[in-house]
Amino acid sequence: MSNTIVAASDKNYIWGVWLLIVSMRKNSMNEPVLVQGEAYSESDIAALKQFSDVEVLNRAHSLGRNITCSKPDAMLLPDTDYITWVDCDGIFTGNCSRYLTADPEHIHIGVRGVMENAEVFSKRYEANDTFGSIPAKILDTWRKDVGENTEPALSTSCYCCLISIHRSHRALLEKWRDQIHKVLPNDDVGVCDTRNPAYLQTDDSVLNSVLCFSKAAVPPTDKFMLDKDPSAMYIHFAYNPKPWQMWNMYTIKHFDKTVKLVEWAVAQGYKTPGPVPFSLQRKYRKLNHLLARFGKNWARAKKVLRRFGIVIR
């Protein structure tokens, strides 16, 4: 089964895309990679295309919505048997290829457990809602906007940092794309939008609405393996700051394996997207572990770093 890995980012996440590709090639994941870039420089593009089988589609400026809303458009471009979207603030820790093409009848996507779902919707529950479910008001909005099925197909939402789907289900991607254009304002307020609680997570919320109520929906797999096999996982660097900026208490446990990627790439002769940030240098390991506790207070931590003569953007 052929498969294409798809990612997208603006210039601020070029290190994330580079690390993702390095993690693939280091772990013998040889799938072609398609990157939708926004405002990349020539050197940014060169840093990605030095790896084999990487295509970069670069646009000069935003089309309106945040680039994360380009997911379905980018996923509709490849002509392989499978298409796998991967958020570029994450890495593979082993060869995960076999898990990405294992279930052609379902969408390979992670489904939140009750507690995870409750955390996502914690501020949206009302008296009659069931703890851990998708709130009724949000379901009502999704039902109305999608306008197809009446009963939700999901009891909890999916997290959309990694999505793999067989080409026979392209209708789902098309519906997702069309719903983004239908329900999300054509402006860029970031990856989250507090103006409409039903679409707080923008493109991710729209995909969940489609999975719940569209006739084009494909059931999520019950064989999601990217967070189960210790030898081959996808690690998502959730929350800010990101590792190429600074670590936080959620991500710092992955410091060594991430730095090893940089060291491997440099040893292989690959060029980095710029000077290696202090956060990805082993000699600053202790400092990075110390600063991780201030990750939530990023601005304050940056001031501390300036005292060491280290400036981050």
Side-chain angles (χ1 to χ4, degrees), residues 37-150:
E38 186 173 283
Y40 282 177
S41 67
E42 290 185 7
S43 62
D44 292 335
I45 296 172
L48 303 183
K49 293 189 70 173
Q50 67 183 317
F51 301 97
S52 61
D53 235 346
V54 174
E55 180 181 2
V56 179
L57 304 177
N58 189 39
R59 61 194 191 207
H61 53 78
S62 171
L63 297 181
R65 298 177 183 88
N66 188 273
I67 195 168
T68 189
C69 295
S70 300
K71 289 178 185 178
D73 298 271
M75 291 181 72
L76 283 164
L77 293 175
D79 194 30
T80 44
D81 297 318
Y82 278 82
I83 310 98
T84 299
W85 169 270
V86 185
D87 275 8
C88 59
D89 54 346
I91 58 172
F92 293 102
T93 64
N95 191 323
C96 298
S97 296
R98 63 191 182 280
Y99 295 136
L100 303 178
T101 59
D103 191 355
E105 299 305 317
H106 298 82
I107 180 171
H108 199 83
I109 191 171
V111 180
R112 290 187 174 97
V114 170
M115 295 305 297
E116 290 177 297
N117 206 64
E119 182 179 353
V120 171
F121 296 108
S122 61
K123 297 181 180 179
R124 309 297 175 191
Y125 286 123
E126 297 185 355
N128 294 328
D129 286 321
T130 301
F131 179 83
S133 65
I134 302 171
K137 276 193 174 181
I138 289 178
L139 289 174
D140 287 343
T141 301
W142 290 356
R143 183 185 293 108
K144 178 182 176 182
D145 288 345
V146 175
E148 297 179 15
N149 297 331
T150 57

Side-chain angles (χ1 to χ4, degrees), residues 177-204:
R177 175 200 61 197
D178 295 346
Q179 281 298 111
I180 285 175
H181 290 289
K182 177 181 177 181
V183 303
L184 296 185
N186 191 28
D187 58 8
D188 185 357
V189 294
V191 297
C192 292
D193 187 351
T194 58
R195 295 173 297 184
N196 187 340
Y199 299 107
L200 173 67
Q201 295 177 306
T202 56
D203 58 292
D204 286 11

